[in-house]
C-alpha cells in the first residue's frame, strides 16, 4: 500500500497528538513556506488565518484539504480551483454549544453586572430574568444548533427552530421537530425572548438580522450570536443596545477583531467574548479523531467526510 502523507501545522499540537501510524508519514507545514514534499494526501492548514495561505497549494499534488473550522466562508477566494476541502463538522459543535449556553445564562442572570460589582466590592442584591420558561428561537438548525438544543433540554424552555428551508427534522434525542423557513423570520423573532444565531455565513445570511429583524424582537429580548459577525447588522444592533431596548451576548462581531474604541464595547446590555466558541480543550482530541477517520477513508478508497468544496475523484 502506498504511504499516505499528512501535513499539519507546527504549533497546533496535532503532530504530537496523532502519534505514529503504520503506513502514514506526518510532516509539519504551516503553508507559509514551500511545501515539504511534492505530494500530500491530506493538508491540514493552520486553525487561525489559514485561508490566506491556501494559495501555497497551487501546484502541490494534494488530495484533500482538511479545514479546522466548521465555517469556511471566504475560503473559495484562496483555495486553488479543483482542490477538495472538508470542514471540521463533529469537532466544534460541543464547545460552541457550551459557550452559547454560558453566554445565555450569564446575560439572563446578570453575571456581567455582578462581576463589575465584585471589582468594586459592592453588594447590590437584585433580580434578573430566568432562562426557565423563556421562549427560545434557534436560528439555523445544523450541528451546532442541535447541540445547543440538547443542552437546553433541562432548562424548561420553549424552543422554536428556524433555518433556510422549512422542514421536519430530527433532533439529537431522535425526536421529529418542525423547522420554520427564513420566510418566517420576523414572525418568529416577534415571539422570542432569547434568540440564538448559529447559521453559516452565506450571501443569504449576510445581515440576516438587520434593522427590521431587530425591530421585530420584543423589548428586553436577548440576542446570542455564535455564528459569524456579519450575520448581524452591527450599526443597527448598536442602536438597539444603546437605546436599552435589546440585550446581546456575542462571541463574534463585525468587524472582527473588534477595534479599540468601537461603540459596541460600551453598549449597555452587551456581553462580548472573543470568537472562542470552538477553541477549547475539546478541539484537539476531536480534530485528531477526524483526521484519523479521514486517513482511514482514504486508505479504504472511500470518499472523505464533510466534503464542502470541490469533488472527490
Amino acid at each position: 500500500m502506498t504511504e499516505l502523507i499528512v501535513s499539519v501545522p507546527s504549533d497546533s499540537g496535532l503532530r504530537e497528538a496523532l502519534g505514529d501510524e503504520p503506513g502514514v508519514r506526518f510532516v509539519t507545514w504551516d503553508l507559509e513556506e514551500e511545501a515539504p514534499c511534492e505530494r500530500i494526501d491530506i493538508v491540514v492548514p493552520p486553525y487561525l488565518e489559514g485561508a490566506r495561505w491556501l494559495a501555497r497549494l497551487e501546484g502541490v499534488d494534494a488530495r484533500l484539504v482538511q479545514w479546522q473550522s466548521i465555517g469556511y466562508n471566504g475560503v473559495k477566494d484562496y483555495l486553488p480551483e479543483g482542490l477538495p476541502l472538508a470542514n471540521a463538522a463533529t469537532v466544534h459543535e460541543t464547545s460552541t454549544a457550551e459557550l452559547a449556553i454560558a453566554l445565555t445564562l450569564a446575560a439572563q442572570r446578570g453575571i456581567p453586572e455582578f462581576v463589575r460589582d465584585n471589582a468594586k466590592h459592592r453588594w447590590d442584591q437584585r433580580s434578573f430574568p430566568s432562562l426557565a420558561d423563556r421562549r427560545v428561537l434557534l436560528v439555523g438548525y445544523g450541528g451546532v444548533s442541535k447541540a445547543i438544543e440538547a443542552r437546553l433540554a433541562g432548562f424548561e424552555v420553549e424552543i422554536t427552530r428556524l433555518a433556510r428551508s422549512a422542514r421536519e427534522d430530527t433532533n439529537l434525542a431522535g425526536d421529529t421537530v418542525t423547522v420554520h423557513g427564513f420566510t418566517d423570520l420576523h414572525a418568529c423573532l416577534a415571539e422570542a425572548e432569547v434568540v440564538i444565531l448559529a447559521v453559516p455565513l452565506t450571501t443569504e445570511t449576510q445581515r440576516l438580522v438587520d434593522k427590521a429583524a431587530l425591530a421585530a424582537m420584543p423589548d428586553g429580548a436577548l440576542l446570542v450570536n455564535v455564528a459569524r459577525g456579519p450575520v448581524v447588522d452591527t450599526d443597527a444592533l448598536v442602536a438597539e443596545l444603546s437605546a436599552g431596548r435589546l440585550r446581546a451576548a456575542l462571541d463574534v462581531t463585525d468587524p472582527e477583531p473588534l477595534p479599540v474604541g468601537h461603540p459596541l464595547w460600551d453598549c449597555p446590555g452587551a456581553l462580548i467574548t472573543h470568537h472562542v466558541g470552538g477553541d477549547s480543550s475539546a478541539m484537539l482530541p476531536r480534530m485528531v479523531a477526524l483526521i484519523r477517520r479521514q486517513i482511514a477513508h482514504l486508505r479504504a478508497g472511500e470518499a472523505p467526510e464533510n466534503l464542502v468544496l470541490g469533488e472527490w475523484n
Side-chain angles (χ1 to χ4, degrees), residues 47-60:
Y47 177 51
L48 298 176
E49 299 186 5
R52 63 194 180 102
W53 298 109
L54 290 176
R56 289 280 190 184
L57 293 171
E58 190 70 56
V60 177

Side-chain angles (χ1 to χ4, degrees), residues 33 112 173 242 295:
E33 62 283 336
S242 298
I295 289 170

Side-chain angles (χ1 to χ4, degrees), residues 49-78:
E49 299 186 5
R52 63 194 180 102
W53 298 109
L54 290 176
R56 289 280 190 184
L57 293 171
E58 190 70 56
V60 177
D61 183 11
R63 295 179 66 193
L64 176 69
V65 180
Q66 177 57 64
W67 202 234
Q68 291 197 70
S69 297
I70 299 176
Y72 53 97
N73 50 288
V75 167
K76 264 189 173 181
D77 297 337
Y78 301 93

Side-chain angles (χ1 to χ4, degrees), residues 187-256:
C188 289
L189 286 171
E191 297 298 322
E193 296 166 288
V194 176
V195 177
I196 303 178
L197 307 177
V199 289
L201 180 59
T202 66
T203 54
E204 195 170 6
T205 62
Q206 183 106 8
R207 305 292 189 274
L208 177 69
V209 182
D210 56 10
K211 182 178 180 179
L214 292 168
M217 294 173 63
D219 291 354
L222 172 67
L223 178 71
V224 181
N225 190 1
V226 292
R228 288 292 186 268
V231 172
V232 178
D233 182 328
T234 299
D235 291 342
L237 179 61
V238 166
E240 292 281 14
L241 295 174
S242 298
R245 201 185 73 80
L246 297 179
R247 299 170 295 130
L250 312 170
D251 184 48
V252 290
T253 61
D254 181 28
E256 190 176 296

Side-chain angles (χ1 to χ4, degrees), residues 6-205:
V6 179
S7 74
V8 296
S10 61
D11 62 351
S12 61
L14 283 170
R15 177 64 196 94
E16 294 77 10
L18 283 162
D20 295 320
E21 187 165 337
V24 180
R25 177 157 60 99
F26 295 103
V27 297
T28 56
W29 185 31
D30 296 321
L31 278 70
E32 298 179 23
E33 62 283 336
E34 295 301 321
C37 40
E38 292 183 359
R39 176 182 64 85
I40 304 177
D41 293 282
I42 302 175
V43 176
V44 183
Y47 177 51
L48 298 176
E49 299 186 5
R52 63 194 180 102
W53 298 109
L54 290 176
R56 289 280 190 184
L57 293 171
E58 190 70 56
V60 177
D61 183 11
R63 295 179 66 193
L64 176 69
V65 180
Q66 177 57 64
W67 202 234
Q68 291 197 70
S69 297
I70 299 176
Y72 53 97
N73 50 288
V75 167
K76 264 189 173 181
D77 297 337
Y78 301 93
L79 186 70
E81 188 174 354
L83 269 183
L85 181 137
N87 75 349
T90 72
V91 173
H92 299 286
E93 288 86 343
T94 293
S95 288
T96 305
E98 285 177 352
L99 186 62
I101 298 299
L103 287 170
T104 302
L105 282 170
Q108 286 295 100
R109 297 308 301 267
I111 300 304
E113 288 82 352
F114 288 123
V115 169
R116 286 190 282 270
D117 286 345
N118 289 350
K120 296 177 181 178
H121 299 188
R122 179 176 63 196
W123 185 275
D124 185 3
Q125 193 170 16
R126 54 214 153 137
S127 178
F128 288 91
S130 67
L131 177 55
D133 303 328
R134 301 282 77 81
R135 298 185 300 274
V136 177
L137 174 63
L138 299 176
V139 180
Y141 199 62
V144 172
S145 280
K146 289 182 179 183
I148 293 169
E149 179 183 31
R151 284 152 183 79
L152 284 171
F155 286 100
E156 302 177 32
V157 298
E158 178 185 329
I159 297 177
T160 300
R161 305 154 193 87
L162 183 141
R164 183 176 62 84
S165 302
R167 62 183 186 272
E168 297 296 303
D169 207 328
T170 305
N171 64 18
L172 294 186
D175 302 320
T176 300
V177 296
T178 297
V179 181
H180 296 268
F182 279 172
T183 53
D184 294 334
L185 175 62
H186 287 199
C188 289
L189 286 171
E191 297 298 322
E193 296 166 288
V194 176
V195 177
I196 303 178
L197 307 177
V199 289
L201 180 59
T202 66
T203 54
E204 195 170 6
T205 62

